[in-house]
Amino acid sequence: MSGKIFLVAAESSGDALGADLARVLKQRDPSLDLAGIGGALMEAEGLKSQVDISGLAVLGFIDGLLAYKRVKIAVEAAVATILVAKPDVVVLIDSWGFTLRVAHGVRAAAPEIKLVKYVGPQVWASRPGRAKTLAAAVDHLICIHDFEVPFYAPYNLPCTVCGHPALGRFKQGDGAAFRARHGIGRDEKLLLVLPGSRPSEIRRIGPTLWRGAEVLKRDHPALRFLVVAASAVRDSVVAQAPASALIVDEAEKEDAFAAADASIAASGTVTTEVALQGTPLVVGYKLGWITWALARAFLFKGKYSTLMNVAADAEVAPELIQTRLTPANIAKAAAPLLDDSAKREAQVHAQNNALDKMGRGGRQAGEIAADAVLGVMRA
């Protein structure tokens, strides 16, 4: 046995990263002993989780307080599972609060285990002091962007830049085939609505996105709605969506994204995935009011919340955040993407330029991450 690596993911996006990393690690060295905590995608790669991660995808101050006991129990279970497994390396994937607590628990009980953080906190946007906190907790960081590295240099935390994982996972969708499968005419306008992947996002953002979609439909009576629902939140998505909306599973994600004429979406990894399919989008986001007040006063310092816009240093995709996220504003921003082919093409072109700046066309993030993890293990 050449070594044991333990992967930890606490929500669906991390589960996807963990599954991709596990797949590449097995390709690199079939003799590796891989174990982990995650979801269905990691389990499909042979990493059956002994800790239930459902309900850990929390966001915001109030949601965090409400979930504190559940997170505390899950952290204790995760640390105990890792200590029994006795891995050489633990890879802590995304989910800042949860994985940091796991890192502290493992480091205190078994300092000989090497710790790697895969996707760091957004120190470039808020709370740069987290760079020092992370550097004291782990041995290596695999981050997404070059501009993150200088934040960690003062604390001597080794960093590997992998690029945005969505770029590496990209698979060109077949929009024409999707429309044919679902009886959607070539000339019918199709609006993709993506209310988020966390229950709190769907609860706060979904109703406004749908009201905005209905405003658009008043001026576009033939407009059809399309939703891609992750399995973990499918019931919540279905409950919100109009009866006429076409709801498909993630297995059709790439084709659905490519088939849409425009999208209105909650900020997150999905905005990059939609842009990669050549579909223009409007981005919306809303936090709880206490969390928003704290963020604006003390935490958030970035100009943009969407990574494409950060990379371009411009509002390539319109952002409607907090008070600006209204049905009228959604309709106003999205209507030109349905009505004006020149404006639509201009935004797609700008999105493509931003994606190039984010590293489209380079090595896959999973491959770079796997090499970094193996390097830490063998050092």
Side-chain angles (χ1 to χ4, degrees):
M1 194 66 66
S2 64
K4 186 166 190 175
I5 299 173
F6 197 103
L7 312 183
V8 179
E11 53 184 309
S12 58
S13 59
D15 185 37
L17 291 177
D20 187 47
L21 177 57
R23 185 164 48 251
V24 179
L25 284 169
K26 287 186 290 186
Q27 292 170 355
R28 291 281 192 276
D29 185 351
S31 71
L32 283 172
D33 183 4
L34 299 180
I37 293 167
L41 296 178
M42 286 173 58
E43 185 168 347
E45 293 298 328
L47 282 69
K48 184 171 178 59
S49 180
Q50 296 181 45
V51 177
D52 182 8
I53 67 167
S54 62
L56 297 181
V58 295
L59 184 70
F61 180 71
I62 298 300
D63 286 343
L65 288 178
L66 294 174
Y68 175 77
K69 184 176 181 180
R70 183 168 66 249
V71 172
K72 185 173 184 292
I73 292 171
V75 167
E76 292 171 352
V79 171
T81 302
I82 292 167
L83 295 178
V84 169
K86 297 181 180 178
D88 299 292
V89 179
V90 175
V91 183
L92 304 158
I93 305 170
D94 211 351
S95 301
W96 166 248
F98 177 79
T99 56
L100 180 66
R101 289 171 174 80
V102 173
H104 286 159
V106 173
R107 179 56 50 89
E112 72 279 5
I113 296 176
K114 296 174 182 177
L115 302 176
V116 175
K117 186 75 174 74
Y118 185 12
V119 183
Q122 293 182 337
V123 292
W124 43 268
S126 68
R127 289 181 284 174
R130 290 179 295 179
K132 182 178 181 180
T133 301
L134 183 60
V138 303
D139 301 293
H140 196 98
L141 169 64
I142 303 169
C143 57
I144 293 176
H145 305 289
D146 290 314
F147 57 71
E148 296 177 71
V149 177
F151 287 91
Y152 298 94
Y155 312 111
N156 300 312
L157 178 64
C159 297
T160 297
V161 179
C162 68
H164 198 291
L167 302 179
R169 293 196 302 264
F170 171 67
K171 181 176 71 175
Q172 181 62 57
D174 189 335
F178 180 90
R179 284 175 173 255
R181 281 199 304 274
H182 294 282
I184 302 168
R186 183 181 303 175
D187 297 326
E188 287 187 85
K189 296 293 185 182
L190 190 59
L191 179 70
L192 176 67
V193 182
L194 300 168
S197 59
R198 298 181 176 100
S200 60
E201 291 175 331
I202 294 167
R203 185 175 67 250
R204 291 197 183 102
I205 302 166
T208 307
L209 292 187
W210 283 117
R211 287 196 295 271
E214 293 291 353
V215 173
L216 280 167
K217 193 171 177 64
R218 292 175 198 165
D219 294 326
H220 305 79
L223 181 65
R224 298 187 63 175
F225 300 149
L226 167 65
V227 192
V228 179
S231 57
V233 293
R234 182 180 174 83
D235 290 346
S236 298
V237 171
V238 170
Q240 280 188 352
S244 61
L246 172 61
I247 302 172
V248 300
D249 296 327
E250 287 188 299
E252 292 192 84
K253 179 171 68 174
E254 289 86 2
D255 290 353
F257 290 178
D261 293 286
S263 175
I264 54 177
S267 180
T269 300
V270 74
T271 60
T272 301
E273 294 174 330
V274 170
L276 282 165
Q277 298 298 339
T279 299
L281 67 155
V282 174
V283 182
Y285 211 74
K286 184 182 290 185
L287 292 166
W289 285 108
I290 293 176
T291 301
W292 173 250
L294 291 172
R296 294 304 297 170
F298 304 111
L299 304 178
F300 188 76
K301 305 301 180 185
K303 287 193 289 185
Y304 307 109
S305 66
T306 307
L307 286 176
M308 276 191 305
N309 293 348
V310 173
D313 193 26
E315 197 169 353
V316 169
E319 290 188 0
L320 303 173
I321 309 300
Q322 207 67 13
T323 56
R324 294 183 64 220
L325 184 64
T326 66
N329 284 344
I330 291 170
K332 182 179 179 181
L337 304 179
L338 296 171
D339 298 332
D340 189 326
S341 60
K343 288 185 178 179
R344 186 182 191 281
E345 290 172 8
Q347 181 165 324
V348 170
H349 179 71
Q351 289 178 180
N352 286 336
N353 287 340
L355 291 169
D356 290 340
K357 290 182 179 180
M358 290 168 64
R360 180 170 60 174
R363 288 181 66 205
Q364 292 190 4
E367 295 177 349
I368 297 171
D371 290 342
V373 171
L374 292 173
V376 170
M377 185 182 74
R378 293 166 180 166

